[in-house]
Amino acid sequence: MRWHPTERFDLDHLAHCVGELPATARVKGVFHTADGWKRFNRADGALSVVSSAWRQDSRLEVITPESFEHAALIAALLIKLHASRVGLS
């Protein structure tokens, strides 16, 4: 999933959305937030958020075990992420 670099997201809401994903989901992403550009990485249920030099776009990758209904999970996540947007810079 990708978003235009001018779209900004609320960092706390993003972390909450990622935290609601199943613990077995692997998450990698970069987001333009109200607090600057941040890289998200979650593995084994632990989330790390650090500053990022990436500036081309916001992007997210979610990797789930085969037993998950990936499409439904992503659709629900996209709705939540839309609510995380804080406006255009």
Side-chain angles (χ1 to χ4, degrees), residues 54-69:
W54 183 260
R55 302 286 190 271
Q56 293 182 6
D57 59 6
S58 292
R59 53 178 60 196
L60 180 68
E61 181 178 7
V62 179
I63 304 164
T64 57
E66 289 182 22
S67 60
F68 281 93
E69 178 54 52

Side-chain angles (χ1 to χ4, degrees), residues 27-78:
V27 179
K28 299 186 296 183
V30 178
F31 284 93
H32 185 196
T33 74
D35 299 311
W37 287 84
K38 301 294 180 182
R39 185 178 75 225
F40 281 67
N41 190 11
R42 192 181 86 173
D44 300 322
L47 176 65
S48 69
V49 179
V50 296
S51 293
S52 175
W54 183 260
R55 302 286 190 271
Q56 293 182 6
D57 59 6
S58 292
R59 53 178 60 196
L60 180 68
E61 181 178 7
V62 179
I63 304 164
T64 57
E66 289 182 22
S67 60
F68 281 93
E69 178 54 52
H70 191 77
L73 184 72
I74 297 303
L77 179 60
L78 284 172

